[in-house]
Amino acid sequence: EKVNPPKIRYLTKTEESRIISALCQRDKGLRDRRARYVEWQSRRNHRKQRQELYSNEDYPDHITPIVMLAYHTGFDIGDIFDLHWKHIDFANNQVRTIRNNTSHKTDNPQPVVVPMSPTVKGTLEQWGSQHGMTGRVFKSPVTGGRLDNISKAWRSLLKVAELNDFRFKDLRHTFGSWLAIEGVDILQIR
Protein backbone atom coordinates (compact mmCIF):
# COMPACT_ATOMS: atom_id res chain seq x y z
CA GLU A 1 0.00 0.00 0.00
CA LYS A 2 1.36 3.38 -1.01
CA VAL A 3 1.32 6.02 1.68
CA ASN A 4 1.67 8.95 -0.76
CA PRO A 5 0.19 7.94 -4.12
CA PRO A 6 1.40 10.02 -7.06
CA LYS A 7 -0.71 13.06 -7.78
CA ILE A 8 -2.29 13.14 -11.22
CA ARG A 9 -3.07 16.64 -12.44
CA TYR A 10 -4.18 17.83 -15.84
CA LEU A 11 -5.24 21.16 -17.31
CA THR A 12 -8.87 22.11 -17.59
CA LYS A 13 -9.88 23.90 -20.78
CA THR A 14 -9.87 27.22 -18.87
CA GLU A 15 -6.35 26.56 -17.57
CA GLU A 16 -5.27 25.54 -21.07
CA SER A 17 -6.38 28.90 -22.45
CA ARG A 18 -4.53 30.69 -19.63
CA ILE A 19 -1.24 28.90 -20.31
CA ILE A 20 -1.51 29.50 -24.06
CA SER A 21 -2.28 33.15 -23.37
CA ALA A 22 0.75 33.34 -21.05
CA LEU A 23 2.93 31.84 -23.80
CA CYS A 24 1.65 34.41 -26.32
CA GLN A 25 2.21 37.23 -23.84
CA ARG A 26 5.76 36.00 -23.12
CA ASP A 27 6.59 35.73 -26.83
CA LYS A 28 5.20 39.21 -27.49
CA GLY A 29 7.34 40.62 -24.68
CA LEU A 30 10.46 38.98 -26.13
CA ARG A 31 9.64 40.29 -29.64
CA ASP A 32 9.10 43.80 -28.26
CA ARG A 33 12.38 43.68 -26.33
CA ARG A 34 14.23 42.60 -29.49
CA ALA A 35 12.57 45.43 -31.46
CA ARG A 36 13.67 48.00 -28.85
CA TYR A 37 17.23 46.66 -28.95
CA VAL A 38 17.40 46.73 -32.76
CA GLU A 39 16.04 50.27 -32.75
CA TRP A 40 18.63 51.28 -30.11
CA GLN A 41 21.42 49.74 -32.22
CA SER A 42 20.33 51.61 -35.34
CA ARG A 43 20.02 54.98 -33.54
CA ARG A 44 23.56 54.68 -32.22
CA ASN A 45 24.95 53.21 -35.42
CA HIS A 46 26.31 50.41 -33.26
CA ARG A 47 29.16 48.35 -34.71
CA LYS A 48 28.09 45.05 -33.19
CA GLN A 49 26.53 42.50 -35.47
CA ARG A 50 22.97 43.66 -35.95
CA GLN A 51 20.22 41.40 -34.72
CA GLU A 52 17.18 40.77 -36.89
CA LEU A 53 13.64 41.53 -35.82
CA TYR A 54 11.37 38.60 -35.10
CA SER A 55 8.31 38.26 -37.30
CA ASN A 56 4.96 37.57 -35.65
CA GLU A 57 5.28 33.93 -36.73
CA ASP A 58 8.80 33.46 -35.31
CA TYR A 59 9.39 31.95 -31.91
CA PRO A 60 11.69 34.29 -29.94
CA ASP A 61 13.06 31.32 -27.97
CA HIS A 62 12.51 27.60 -27.40
CA ILE A 63 9.95 27.72 -24.56
CA THR A 64 6.73 27.97 -26.60
CA PRO A 65 7.70 25.20 -29.05
CA ILE A 66 8.74 22.91 -26.17
CA VAL A 67 5.51 23.47 -24.23
CA MET A 68 3.37 23.02 -27.35
CA LEU A 69 5.23 19.84 -28.25
CA ALA A 70 4.79 18.41 -24.73
CA TYR A 71 1.13 19.40 -24.62
CA HIS A 72 0.25 17.95 -28.03
CA THR A 73 2.37 14.76 -27.99
CA GLY A 74 2.57 13.69 -24.36
CA PHE A 75 6.39 13.64 -24.47
CA ASP A 76 8.33 14.11 -21.24
CA ILE A 77 10.87 16.92 -21.03
CA GLY A 78 13.78 14.47 -21.45
CA ASP A 79 12.21 13.10 -24.63
CA ILE A 80 11.97 16.62 -26.01
CA PHE A 81 15.54 17.52 -25.03
CA ASP A 82 16.78 14.35 -26.80
CA LEU A 83 14.69 14.88 -29.93
CA HIS A 84 16.67 15.07 -33.20
CA TRP A 85 15.44 16.22 -36.58
CA LYS A 86 16.02 12.70 -37.93
CA HIS A 87 13.14 11.61 -35.63
CA ILE A 88 10.71 13.95 -37.39
CA ASP A 89 8.91 12.56 -40.44
CA PHE A 90 6.95 15.44 -41.96
CA ALA A 91 5.88 13.39 -44.99
CA ASN A 92 4.03 10.85 -42.81
CA ASN A 93 3.13 13.28 -39.99
CA GLN A 94 4.99 11.22 -37.39
CA VAL A 95 7.62 11.58 -34.70
CA ARG A 96 9.66 8.39 -34.32
CA THR A 97 11.87 8.22 -31.25
CA ILE A 98 12.84 6.08 -28.28
CA ARG A 99 11.28 7.27 -25.05
CA ASN A 100 13.69 7.96 -22.19
CA ASN A 101 11.83 6.54 -19.24
CA THR A 102 11.06 3.06 -20.48
CA SER A 103 12.22 -0.10 -18.79
CA HIS A 104 13.16 -1.75 -22.09
CA LYS A 105 15.39 1.04 -23.36
CA THR A 106 18.70 -0.42 -22.20
CA ASP A 107 18.07 -4.05 -23.17
CA ASN A 108 15.98 -3.78 -26.31
CA PRO A 109 15.16 -0.22 -27.35
CA GLN A 110 11.84 0.03 -29.14
CA PRO A 111 10.93 3.06 -31.18
CA VAL A 112 7.77 4.94 -30.35
CA VAL A 113 5.75 6.43 -33.19
CA VAL A 114 3.60 9.43 -32.28
CA PRO A 115 1.28 10.99 -34.85
CA MET A 116 1.86 14.70 -35.45
CA SER A 117 -1.15 16.93 -35.08
CA PRO A 118 -1.32 19.98 -37.36
CA THR A 119 -0.29 22.12 -34.37
CA VAL A 120 2.83 20.03 -33.73
CA LYS A 121 3.72 19.96 -37.42
CA GLY A 122 3.30 23.71 -37.78
CA THR A 123 5.32 24.36 -34.63
CA LEU A 124 8.20 22.12 -35.75
CA GLU A 125 8.19 23.50 -39.30
CA GLN A 126 8.38 27.08 -38.02
CA TRP A 127 11.09 26.23 -35.47
CA GLY A 128 13.07 24.35 -38.13
CA SER A 129 12.81 27.24 -40.61
CA GLN A 130 14.27 29.54 -37.96
CA HIS A 131 17.06 27.29 -36.66
CA GLY A 132 17.73 24.68 -39.34
CA MET A 133 16.71 21.04 -39.39
CA THR A 134 19.93 19.27 -38.47
CA GLY A 135 21.05 17.77 -35.19
CA ARG A 136 18.98 18.33 -32.08
CA VAL A 137 15.63 20.04 -32.41
CA PHE A 138 16.25 22.14 -29.29
CA LYS A 139 19.85 23.14 -28.65
CA SER A 140 21.23 25.00 -25.67
CA PRO A 141 21.53 28.69 -26.57
CA VAL A 142 24.73 28.81 -24.49
CA THR A 143 26.64 25.67 -25.53
CA GLY A 144 24.83 24.56 -28.68
CA GLY A 145 24.65 21.07 -27.13
CA ARG A 146 21.79 19.34 -25.33
CA LEU A 147 19.32 21.67 -23.69
CA ASP A 148 18.84 20.50 -20.13
CA ASN A 149 16.77 22.97 -18.16
CA ILE A 150 13.81 25.31 -18.65
CA SER A 151 12.68 25.46 -15.01
CA LYS A 152 13.08 29.26 -14.56
CA ALA A 153 11.02 30.03 -17.67
CA TRP A 154 8.49 27.33 -16.71
CA ARG A 155 7.98 28.77 -13.20
CA SER A 156 7.58 32.26 -14.66
CA LEU A 157 5.02 30.96 -17.17
CA LEU A 158 3.00 29.24 -14.44
CA LYS A 159 2.97 32.43 -12.39
CA VAL A 160 1.62 34.49 -15.31
CA ALA A 161 -0.96 31.78 -16.12
CA GLU A 162 -1.92 31.62 -12.43
CA LEU A 163 -1.49 27.86 -12.30
CA ASN A 164 -0.73 26.42 -8.90
CA ASP A 165 0.63 22.97 -8.19
CA PHE A 166 1.30 22.13 -11.83
CA ARG A 167 4.45 20.38 -13.06
CA PHE A 168 5.82 20.13 -16.59
CA LYS A 169 5.12 16.38 -16.46
CA ASP A 170 1.45 17.22 -15.98
CA LEU A 171 1.34 18.31 -19.64
CA ARG A 172 1.79 14.60 -20.40
CA HIS A 173 -1.11 13.79 -18.07
CA THR A 174 -3.19 16.48 -19.77
CA PHE A 175 -2.52 14.97 -23.18
CA GLY A 176 -3.57 11.48 -22.06
CA SER A 177 -6.51 12.65 -19.94
CA TRP A 178 -8.08 14.70 -22.72
CA LEU A 179 -7.71 11.80 -25.15
CA ALA A 180 -9.51 9.56 -22.63
CA ILE A 181 -12.22 12.16 -22.05
CA GLU A 182 -12.74 12.34 -25.83
CA GLY A 183 -13.27 8.55 -25.88
CA VAL A 184 -9.96 7.32 -27.31
CA ASP A 185 -9.22 3.70 -26.38
CA ILE A 186 -6.79 3.35 -23.45
CA LEU A 187 -4.52 0.99 -25.42
CA GLN A 188 -4.24 3.52 -28.23
CA ILE A 189 -3.38 6.26 -25.70
CA ARG A 190 -0.70 3.97 -24.23
Side-chain angles (χ1 to χ4, degrees), residues 116-149:
M116 263 196 292
S117 69
T119 302
V120 170
K121 186 174 184 177
T123 300
L124 289 172
E125 286 174 337
Q126 179 60 40
W127 184 253
S129 72
Q130 288 178 241
H131 298 280
M133 294 187 181
T134 58
R136 291 186 186 278
V137 175
F138 300 104
K139 299 174 182 108
S140 167
V142 176
T143 66
R146 183 182 189 269
L147 186 64
D148 65 356
N149 192 337

Side-chain angles (χ1 to χ4, degrees), residues 68-80:
M68 295 307 284
L69 196 61
Y71 181 71
H72 289 280
T73 63
F75 284 154
D76 285 327
I77 192 72
D79 299 323
I80 294 170

